Amino acid sequence: MESPFKPDILRGKVALLTGGGSGIGFELSTQFGKHGASIAIMGRRKNVIHDAVSVLQSLGIPAVGFEGDVRKPEDARRVVEATVEKFGKLDILVNAAAGNFLVPAEDLSPNGFKTVMDIDSVGTFTMCHQALKYLKKGGPGKDSSTGGFILNISATLHYTASWYQIHVSAAKAAVDALTRNLALEWGTDHDIRVNGIAPGPIGDTTGMSKLLPKEINDGGYETMPLYKVGEKWDIAMAAIYLASVAGYKRNDPHC
């Protein structure tokens, strides 16, 4: 599919994406790179990161990968600093790392609940916190006119209720809450734009193959909008739009 955006709309930007080596995260890495950004991806699986970087570089995209766990502040700090050392600055942080599995609430251990909360919500905050000094207006490699951009990938599970997904629903609700609060605080104090995207069912992802009912995966889309699932490309185009929007100005009548 052809992008509706100019090929160089993110030229000169540096983006760090957690979970950027697979699924929706890799599509974001690819499309950000195709639109001009330099890409750093972070993930726990060394082989996945290596393969993803190889693909990006084969497309002519400046890319580097770092093995790391978003739950560990020392990993988050190391990867953020390594990204800045490699590319000279950090403009965009995308938090796409996530954990998920199906389990009835009565069979879910507190440790299993905590694991997903730590990856999705605590990990998202940890990455934001470590990236703050580089994303804020006037931070290293930036001028004093505007700050950077944070995009948090959420979900729609917690908007109503979902079978066997209480841990993920709680984690994504927390992601939505921290997105709104950081948008308020860091937008006001540091001119950092913070947005979230909440994908529903997206084709050709682990979520589709393992977490949705068989009838949906077999093509039973009668209850879904447009009678189809979304595509990773759809999420990437929304992300590029948000990443490319100029910084908002107070008292701007168009905001």
Side-chain angles (χ1 to χ4, degrees), residues 10-79:
L10 298 180
R11 183 176 58 186
K13 300 295 185 182
V14 175
L16 168 60
L17 301 94
T18 70
S22 61
I24 292 173
F26 181 63
E27 183 69 13
L28 295 178
S29 298
T30 303
Q31 294 300 333
F32 275 36
K34 285 184 175 181
H35 287 79
S38 298
I39 303 299
I41 57 178
M42 175 184 180
R44 288 177 291 167
R45 295 174 293 173
K46 185 176 182 179
N47 62 314
V48 172
I49 295 299
H50 177 270
D51 291 347
V53 169
S54 295
V55 172
L56 294 174
Q57 291 178 343
S58 73
L59 297 172
I61 297 169
V64 64
F66 301 105
E67 187 178 1
D69 190 331
V70 297
R71 293 172 293 181
K72 300 177 179 179
E74 61 272 21
D75 281 10
R77 180 173 57 255
R78 171 177 54 81
V79 171

Side-chain angles (χ1 to χ4, degrees), residues 1-6 9-10 17 22-35 39 92 94 96 149 151 153 197-200 202-203 205 230-245:
M1 290 178 285
E2 184 177 354
S3 169
F5 301 102
K6 295 180 179 179
I9 196 168
L10 298 180
L17 301 94
S22 61
I24 292 173
F26 181 63
E27 183 69 13
L28 295 178
S29 298
T30 303
Q31 294 300 333
F32 275 36
K34 285 184 175 181
H35 287 79
I39 303 299
I92 299 168
V94 178
F149 171 64
L151 176 63
I153 304 300
I197 296 177
I202 301 298
T205 61
E231 299 181 13
K232 291 178 286 189
W233 186 87
D234 300 323
I235 307 304
M237 293 302 104
I240 289 174
Y241 167 73
L242 292 171
S244 64
V245 173

